[in-house]
Amino acid sequence: MRPFFLTLISALVLFAQKPEPAAVLKMAAKPASPEFQKNLEASFTPQQLEKGEASLAVGPDSLYAIKAAKPPQLFVDDQPAGAMKKAGAYYIGTAKIAPYTSHTYHYMIDGKRFGGRFDVIAFGPEAYEQAGVPQGKLSEKFTSNSKIYEGMASEYWVYVPAQYNAATPAPVMIWQDGQNYANRAANNRVLIQIDNLVHQKRIPAAIHIFIAPGKVGAKAMRSILYDTYTDKYSHYLLEEILAEVSSKWNLRKDGYSRAIAGESSGAICAFNAAWWRPEEFTRVYSRIGSYTSIQWKPGELDGGNIYPFAIRKMPKRNIRAFLSDGSEDIENNHGSWPLQNIQMANSLKLREYDFRFVFGTGAHSTAQGHAEIPIALPWIWRGYDPAKTSEEFVMDPAEKEKPYFRVKALNRN
């Protein structure tokens, strides 16, 4: 019996180390209580509490904690968030934050800015399990051995909605960096959100393919696959991945019924597939896209940095695209992620593409993208009609009336 009790005790200790965020938020109503302080310390590392980087959120309810000798001033999205309360050696603050996006916070101590983060996620209700919603099924892990990328092995998973009927071909959505989503318990809550959106009939019951970037031996191929301005990856998807998946599930073969998504380099990869093969991929979801010069080799190979100009100068493609980024995204020798995403949006607008651009305050983080799924997926799938195999995407008339995106020097004199 001893091993059983040891296992039980270990499980209880593990549970005590990571209390449910909702429970911690509820206990925050009594910050002086020893129970709350114990759970606060179990929720964060000492370093997070000391550096002012301890926060959590459940839907629109958020909590911030810091170990400080005197009361700090909390700012959420650069706005004062009210007085903080004493909780033993800590100060805590709470705030209501808008759902479907990410938020920033920081503290002011002795007139100086301190701590904070750019990636507090405010999920909408679609990100939480709901009664009566059937769950899709995640497949086993498959391995694809490529001939197009000679010697490359890639892992992928297939998520099949509960509403899938093998007698009827299903639409398809492909996600790059798919290893991050093939886990229902992951904090991105992608699978939960897909189930809820399908159940609410806000998106079609598509089969989702989550592909991890491949390797040739020990060589990681991610940037070569994702950041290169060629049509090679689209051939890989069509001739290898989709061919394999369609041998097991009944898939639609029209580009009207295919969407493709990714973040960072995976986002430019998604746009790449639609750009080169718009008859095969028409719906794009791009998050913190790396439309920069990562794979640019001057005089030899174009990189994703040319996209804003290619869109303006080359023939218009039949693509619908949802793009999102944040003002604190990367700035390095490859380029400026925020400025390139703004350039992408303005180029798409200039050529009257059917696009939407959401620009938040986040860094190079997945937070905003995870939160906005209930906005982005219904937008790219809007109007989907299974009786159709094509549609000419046109710019929303409301977008035509809006100005171009402009940049102001907000953090400099």
Side-chain angles (χ1 to χ4, degrees):
M1 296 297 289
R2 179 177 174 80
F4 168 79
F5 283 110
L6 286 175
T7 301
L8 179 60
I9 290 170
S10 297
L12 290 172
V13 168
L14 181 62
F15 177 80
Q17 289 175 339
K18 283 290 181 181
E20 286 293 323
V24 178
L25 278 164
K26 186 176 181 180
M27 287 184 281
K30 298 180 179 179
S33 70
E35 181 186 16
F36 171 71
Q37 293 168 40
K38 179 181 177 181
N39 280 274
L40 187 68
E41 292 175 338
S43 298
F44 307 107
T45 66
Q47 292 78 15
Q48 288 174 317
L49 290 162
E50 290 167 4
K51 292 181 179 180
E53 297 176 353
S55 63
L56 56 82
V58 178
D61 298 308
S62 61
L63 179 144
Y64 312 86
I66 181 173
K67 187 175 184 179
K70 53 185 177 181
Q73 174 74 56
L74 171 65
F75 288 78
V76 178
D77 295 328
D78 291 326
Q79 298 299 314
M84 301 190 76
K85 298 178 181 179
K86 196 82 165 69
Y90 312 103
Y91 284 90
I92 67 153
T94 57
K96 290 285 186 181
I97 51 178
Y100 305 118
T101 189
S102 63
H103 298 268
T104 69
Y105 73 95
H106 68 274
Y107 301 97
M108 293 298 292
I109 300 176
D110 290 332
K112 296 180 180 179
R113 184 173 177 136
F114 181 81
R117 297 182 66 96
F118 295 101
D119 58 357
V120 179
I121 305 178
F123 285 112
E126 300 89 344
Y128 301 94
E129 302 281 4
Q130 297 181 8
V133 175
Q135 293 185 7
K137 183 178 180 181
L138 186 68
S139 75
E140 62 183 296
K141 179 174 68 179
F142 297 107
T143 300
S144 176
N145 295 295
S146 179
K147 293 180 180 178
I148 292 174
Y149 293 97
E150 187 175 355
M152 185 180 76
S154 302
E155 297 174 344
Y156 68 91
W157 298 257
V158 178
Y159 192 66
V160 184
Q163 296 84 351
Y164 169 70
N165 179 353
T168 304
V172 183
M173 186 162 187
I174 300 172
W175 300 71
Q176 311 337 296
D177 290 310
Q179 73 281 0
N180 297 327
Y181 312 115
N183 177 4
R184 193 173 190 84
N187 191 45
N188 55 61
R189 299 178 177 269
V190 169
L191 302 187
I192 297 171
Q193 296 187 79
I194 288 171
D195 285 344
N196 285 328
L197 292 171
V198 171
H199 183 70
Q200 295 167 9
K201 302 187 185 304
R202 293 167 61 191
I203 62 173
I207 282 180
H208 294 257
I209 305 172
F210 300 112
I211 311 174
K215 292 183 178 181
V216 176
K219 181 182 178 181
M221 293 287 287
R222 184 176 184 269
S223 184
I224 294 171
L225 297 172
Y226 290 0
D227 294 304
T228 305
Y229 181 75
T230 73
D231 65 347
K232 190 172 182 179
Y233 190 79
S234 60
H235 284 282
Y236 163 70
L237 291 178
L238 292 164
E239 298 165 28
E240 298 187 337
I241 297 297
L242 284 172
E244 290 180 18
V245 176
S246 63
S247 70
K248 301 178 179 69
W249 289 276
N250 191 3
L251 306 182
R252 297 271 304 235
K253 293 180 168 53
D254 52 285
Y256 170 76
S257 300
R258 291 191 186 127
I260 185 163
E263 57 195 17
S264 190
S265 292
I268 187 174
C269 178
F271 195 87
N272 241 337
W275 179 256
W276 291 102
R277 300 297 295 273
E279 74 282 2
E280 301 286 359
F281 304 98
T282 61
R283 306 168 193 270
V284 177
Y285 181 20
S286 164
R287 314 191 318 196
I288 54 174
S290 301
Y291 300 102
T292 57
S293 65
I294 294 173
Q295 282 294 323
W296 178 44
K297 296 177 176 60
E300 299 176 25
L301 183 68
D302 285 329
N305 53 303
I306 77 163
Y307 262 121
F309 310 102
I311 291 167
R312 293 176 186 237
K313 297 291 183 71
M314 296 182 71
K316 183 181 177 183
R317 274 71 161 167
N318 188 39
I319 298 171
R320 173 181 287 171
F322 187 108
L323 289 78
S324 68
D325 196 28
S327 60
E328 302 303 316
D329 206 346
I330 299 172
E331 191 88 24
N332 64 19
N333 63 315
H334 295 305
S336 170
W337 271 246
L339 291 180
Q340 283 295 98
N341 275 274
I342 291 172
Q343 282 270 58
M344 284 288 291
N346 281 341
S347 295
L348 291 166
K349 181 175 177 61
L350 179 72
R351 295 301 304 277
E352 296 192 359
Y353 275 81
D354 185 15
F355 86 100
R356 183 171 176 182
F357 180 48
V358 176
F359 194 68
T361 58
H364 199 68
S365 161
T366 58
Q368 180 177 315
H370 296 335
E372 75 191 5
I373 281 176
I375 295 172
L377 296 194
W379 189 90
I380 64 171
W381 285 107
R382 74 188 193 281
Y384 179 76
D385 182 353
K388 296 166 61 174
T389 58
S390 65
E391 177 183 352
E392 182 182 353
F393 294 133
V394 296
M395 178 179 282
D396 185 334
E399 176 58 41
K400 287 187 179 182
E401 302 301 318
K402 295 179 180 179
Y404 288 96
F405 293 92
R406 289 292 181 254
V407 180
K408 294 183 179 180
L410 299 179
N411 64 343
R412 299 286 292 273
N413 295 327

